[in-house]
Amino acid sequence: MAVGLAHDFNDRTVIVTGAAVGLGRSIAYAFAERGAAVWACDIDAAGLMETASAAPAPITTRVVSVADRAGVQDFVGDAWRGTGRIDILVNDAGGLCGQTFQPVDEISEQDWLTVLHANLTGAFLCVQAATPAMKQAGYGRIINVASNAGLHTTVTGIQAYASAKAGLIGLTRQLSQELGRFGVTVNAVAPGAIPCNPYGLAKWESLGPEGQRMALERVAMRRVGHAEDVANAVLFFAQESTRWITGQTLSVDGGRP
Ligand SMILES: NC(=O)c1ccc[n+]([C@@H]2O[C@H](COP(=O)([O-])OP(=O)(O)OC[C@H]3O[C@@H](n4cnc5c(N)ncnc54)[C@H](O)[C@@H]3O)[C@@H](O)[C@H]2O)c1
């Protein structure tokens, strides 16, 4: 789907994490159809294969956990060696990691860490791997996919998720200060609920027509969000003309009260 803005990412190399479903897949496609060399990773091999097979232009995919420092270094290093550059990093991997609400006094340390590693530490490790290429080039765009859960609270109740996304917003602000002098901008998008992954789609369906109508009453635009809405916001931060914007978090939620 075209965004109606003239972005040209020919000759740009873009890393997209969490590209096996929903937002990450849509973000990978948005860059691929604008000429970028897209390198996409995820831990979900089957989903990643689907992403590659339906891509509007060839993309490179690899099964990598963003929580695995060595795997991330190899993946980003191969993209750098293979294309000669790393221009744009989109840290989309994360989500709820299959978890549901548990009272805070019952959560295992492992469950807490799994969500933190996928949503926050993973972004940190990808930034560590990508910044040498960006510093060398004097150019870079880092875009973190946070969440309204990091700005407000999450209806899922998952404490680690809200904490990780708030942390990602903090990391975005802090890195913008550190990396600006190298020509690297660091921004975040904060989506509202978008039924684009199996969990989100099932939850949306379970609301039924009346529940869905009531949910949309709480959205200014009165419609459900699409993955492309988030991809368009990512493209906004990646384009040349927004080079003076850094350290920002943009809600992409159709307008909430
Ligand atoms: N869809 C929404 O409603 C919504 C709202 C706000 C924020 N977000 C955020 O947007 C991003 C994409 O969400 P989504 O709904 O498209 O999918 P999602 O939340 O189901 O998961 C994102 C992807 O990350 C992958 N992933 C998880 N842990 C990983 C790891 N350690 N290494 C590599 N990949 C890993 C998953 O396999 C999945 O493909 C997530 O970070 C999510 O938290 C989504």
Side-chain angles (χ1 to χ4, degrees):
M1 180 185 128
V3 291
L5 294 170
H7 306 302
D8 183 355
F9 294 98
N10 280 330
D11 303 323
R12 295 288 186 206
T13 298
V14 186
I15 306 270
V16 182
T17 71
V21 290
L23 305 187
R25 179 181 286 172
S26 185
I27 292 163
Y29 288 179
F31 283 110
E33 66 194 10
R34 288 165 179 78
V38 175
W39 287 59
C41 76
D42 204 293
I43 49 173
D44 173 0
L48 208 48
M49 213 181 292
E50 261 181 52
T51 297
S53 64
I59 65 176
T60 304
T61 57
R62 190 178 299 175
V63 176
V64 178
S65 170
V66 292
D68 168 16
R69 188 170 192 276
V72 166
Q73 287 282 341
D74 281 352
F75 177 60
V76 175
D78 285 351
W80 188 6
R81 281 185 291 276
T83 65
R85 51 200 305 141
I86 303 289
D87 300 289
I88 300 164
L89 166 66
V90 184
N91 287 310
D92 171 85
L96 306 178
C97 304
Q99 296 186 22
T100 52
F101 171 75
Q102 300 175 74
V104 68
D105 47 322
E106 292 176 19
I107 300 161
S108 72
E109 187 178 352
Q110 191 50 55
D111 279 356
W112 167 264
L113 288 177
T114 296
V115 172
L116 277 182
H117 285 159
N119 287 278
L120 179 57
T121 311
F124 159 71
L125 293 176
C126 291
V127 167
Q128 274 201 319
T131 40
M134 293 179 174
K135 285 180 175 180
Q136 198 178 88
Y139 179 91
R141 298 278 183 272
I142 297 172
I143 300 141
N144 295 322
V145 181
S147 171
N148 263 351
L151 288 168
H152 309 284
T153 55
T154 170
V155 288
T156 67
I158 299 175
Q159 305 87 343
Y161 184 68
S163 306
K165 292 304 194 186
L168 190 56
I169 290 167
L171 184 66
T172 301
R173 270 195 306 263
Q174 195 58 42
L175 288 178
S176 70
Q177 290 300 306
E178 179 178 337
L179 298 176
R181 75 199 66 181
F182 301 104
V184 178
T185 66
V186 189
N187 291 289
V189 295
I194 296 181
C196 64
N197 61 46
Y199 168 85
L201 285 164
K203 196 166 167 226
W204 178 248
E205 287 306 319
S206 74
L207 291 179
E210 184 54 18
Q212 291 179 0
R213 191 193 61 73
M214 282 165 59
L216 294 183
E217 287 289 313
R218 296 191 290 274
V219 177
M221 299 307 294
R222 296 293 193 275
R223 73 157 169 84
V224 76
H226 305 302
E228 291 81 2
D229 294 318
V230 177
N232 288 343
V234 171
L235 289 173
F236 170 76
F237 284 127
Q239 66 187 288
E240 291 300 316
S241 55
T242 53
R243 60 186 172 272
W244 188 241
I245 302 174
T246 193
Q248 302 305 304
T249 296
L250 179 65
S251 283
V252 185
D253 58 5
R256 43 174 283 153

